[in-house]
Amino acid sequence: MEFDWSEGDASHREEVRAFLSEELPDDWEEISKDGPGGDRQAAFSKHFCGRMAERGWLTQHWPSEYGGRDATSWRHAIVGEEMWAIGEPRGAQYMNVNWIGPAIMQYGTEEQKAFHLPRISAGGVLWCQGFSEPEAGSDLVALRTQALRVGDEYVINGSKIWTSYCNHAEFIILLVRTDPQSTRHRGISVLLVAMDTPGIEIREIPSVVGERYFHEVFFTDVHVPTSALLGDENQGWGVVSYALQYERAGAARYARAAVTLDRLAEIARERGLLDDPMVVDRLGEARALCEAARVLSYKVIDLRAKGSPPTADTQLARVLGTTCDTAIGTLALELMGPEALEYGSFADANFRLAMTAGVAVGATEVQLNLIASRFLGLPKE
Ligand SMILES: Cc1cc2nc3c(=O)[nH]c(=O)nc-3n(C[C@H](O)[C@H](O)[C@H](O)COP(=O)(O)OP(=O)(O)OC[C@H]3O[C@@H](n4cnc5c(N)ncnc54)[C@H](O)[C@@H]3O)c2cc1C
């Protein structure tokens, strides 16, 4: 088994690093603290992704007919690792290139593909994801937002919650119930909706991850054309399952965690904390978790590169990714002591991000349930 990068891949990583050091402004760390929902990062995302697109790197793993370069999934993974390691300057657009675009490619009509994919590929459009509802988070199939077909339109009523970055988004990939008599997985559809459609109202929810991050989105008699439907009517669960498989392995959290850990080890050395064998053990354990998350993510990328259908390896990679985040976030709190209490400090910022990692994109417990049923053959709860 060969785990090393090819020469071409290794030099691509170097090119991406050189690009990042040229393109990121001196105050990037400050800008990145706002999070992708912040005004500065949202504006920067468009500039930066535009520059990536000029190089052909933003969607290089897409087929050329959709604005890609037919590059391997590995090249895209290298870009993802380098972006996450430095605080994800693509901002909310990491969602576009990892799963919203691929879902449109897989299920979209020719018209939808022609409209949306070149825009995503050019790096100038922000999307958000309207899945969760107040009573439908882990149990997403309990969703109640309705889109009733009236002539050649759908009329949407209901609300979404925890919608990240929607304050700057131009489009939302929206999960709705199109058959009002249906329950659970049946009768669900996906709509691609412009966020400036009349009847959409956004309210911010203050949160531990930072301001302008989470929102509630209300839909009151929102009219959209039936051409907004992605995939077949009432078959949206297949579309969303496809998108979620990409989403769960779409963020190289381990790359960011590894950089944080290096910094933490440096601080521990400067403070003479490495004399404590417990500290050394914990740092080593955290490194092992990062590596496990990385290798499991590579397994998912390998399956994808071979065109194999997704497996529960995606859940394993996801769980390890959030486990290493949490381990490092907690260790930073302990090692930094009272300094960690300062809002926005290194330990505080990391811990707040790590806290939410195990809930976003489906709670860790739910991923573990899936692993238990698929790998251990245990009954589904
Ligand atoms: C950082 C972040 C960003 C997000 N961005 C978006 C977004 O852009 N768009 C969007 O639609 N949603 C988004 N979400 C929402 C996210 O998908 C939900 O929070 C998640 O699915 C959990 O749903 P919930 O919050 O309703 O928690 P609940 O479903 O109420 O679950 C609460 C807790 O109960 C436990 N639990 C629930 N069910 C089970 C079970 N079956 N077995 C064992 N334990 C269980 C878990 O510990 C879980 O954490 C985001 C969340 C976070 C934290």
Side-chain angles (χ1 to χ4, degrees):
M1 213 180 288
E2 175 59 83
F3 277 95
D4 221 350
W5 294 102
S6 71
E7 230 172 80
D9 287 342
S11 70
H12 185 55
R13 190 184 292 278
E14 289 312 315
E15 281 179 332
V16 173
R17 284 186 182 168
F19 171 79
L20 282 167
S21 69
E22 268 168 36
E23 292 294 331
L24 292 185
D26 294 341
D27 59 349
W28 163 244
E29 208 171 317
E30 247 343 275
I31 295 175
S32 73
K33 278 187 188 163
D34 285 359
D39 296 342
R40 286 188 305 173
Q41 210 188 114
F44 183 71
S45 162
K46 289 193 174 177
H47 163 77
F48 179 81
C49 288
R51 298 285 291 157
M52 279 188 77
E54 283 167 21
R55 298 263 180 140
W57 290 346
L58 188 65
T59 54
Q60 59 175 325
H61 58 307
W62 289 11
S64 46
E65 58 180 309
Y66 300 131
R69 291 202 165 179
D70 298 305
T72 63
S73 306
W74 293 108
R75 288 286 166 99
H76 180 61
I78 288 170
V79 169
E81 286 184 346
E82 295 304 315
M83 296 296 148
W84 272 79
I86 204 132
E88 190 48 281
R90 291 174 299 183
Q93 291 192 63
Y94 79 93
M95 304 197 297
N96 301 6
V97 301
N98 283 326
W99 63 90
I100 296 174
I104 294 174
M105 228 179 279
Q106 179 76 10
Y107 292 97
T109 59
E110 287 312 313
E111 195 189 9
Q112 287 168 333
K113 290 180 198 175
F115 182 81
H116 289 296
L117 296 177
R119 282 173 172 74
I120 292 179
S121 201
V125 63
L126 299 178
W127 280 75
C128 62
Q129 177 172 310
F131 292 177
S132 309
E133 296 185 6
E135 301 301 324
S138 301
D139 190 22
L140 192 52
V141 292
L143 71 93
R144 287 195 296 212
T145 295
Q146 276 194 357
L148 296 184
R149 197 169 183 149
V150 183
D152 56 2
E153 287 187 331
Y154 288 107
V155 182
I156 311 169
N157 280 287
S159 70
K160 296 289 167 179
I161 195 165
W162 314 124
T163 322
S164 307
Y165 331 131
C166 65
N167 49 329
H168 290 289
E170 280 110 357
F171 292 96
I172 184 167
I173 178 165
L174 184 68
L175 210 51
V176 290
R177 200 166 279 291
T178 31
D179 175 359
Q181 310 305 327
S182 67
T183 55
R184 312 299 291 167
H185 303 82
R186 287 171 290 276
I188 289 175
S189 300
V190 175
L191 299 175
L192 307 175
V193 177
M195 284 297 284
D196 60 3
T197 313
I200 300 181
E201 191 198 338
I202 295 173
R203 276 187 224 153
E204 188 186 339
I205 309 173
S207 83
V208 301
V209 251
E211 286 169 30
R212 316 205 66 186
Y213 199 105
F214 289 131
H215 305 83
E216 278 181 283
V217 188
F218 297 91
F219 299 83
T220 311
D221 290 331
V222 175
H223 289 247
V224 296
T226 47
S227 59
L229 180 69
L230 181 67
D232 292 335
E233 191 177 76
N234 298 330
Q235 303 299 322
W237 192 248
V239 181
V240 80
S241 303
Y242 182 85
L244 284 175
Q245 286 295 338
Y246 275 83
E247 181 181 21
R248 286 180 178 146
R253 306 192 77 94
Y254 56 87
R256 190 185 148 277
V259 171
T260 308
L261 183 62
D262 285 344
R263 197 156 155 199
L264 199 56
E266 202 44 53
I267 294 171
R269 188 193 324 266
E270 284 162 14
R271 297 184 177 189
L273 300 173
L274 297 182
D275 295 339
D276 181 345
M278 287 299 285
V279 172
V280 177
D281 269 13
R282 296 274 302 280
L283 288 167
E285 193 182 358
R287 167 59 73 190
L289 284 170
C290 287
E291 285 305 295
R294 186 169 70 88
V295 173
L296 283 167
S297 293
Y298 287 179
K299 191 170 177 197
V300 176
I301 296 162
D302 185 46
L303 286 171
R304 196 172 292 165
K306 290 175 178 154
S308 309
T311 64
D313 290 302
T314 311
Q315 271 77 39
L316 285 182
R318 175 80 197 160
V319 168
L320 256 295
T322 54
T323 306
C324 72
D325 249 358
T326 314
I328 294 165
T330 310
L331 187 57
L333 273 196
E334 291 172 23
L335 295 188
M336 301 304 286
E339 276 175 52
L341 294 175
E342 193 188 322
Y343 185 81
S345 66
F346 167 64
D348 167 70
N350 271 300
F351 188 72
R352 283 187 289 113
L353 271 181
M355 266 170 78
T356 57
V359 182
V361 200
T364 299
E365 290 78 4
V366 174
Q367 309 298 317
L368 289 171
N369 285 343
L370 288 166
I371 292 168
S373 67
R374 291 184 195 167
F375 280 95
L376 301 174
L378 298 180
K380 285 186 183 167
E381 47 77 62

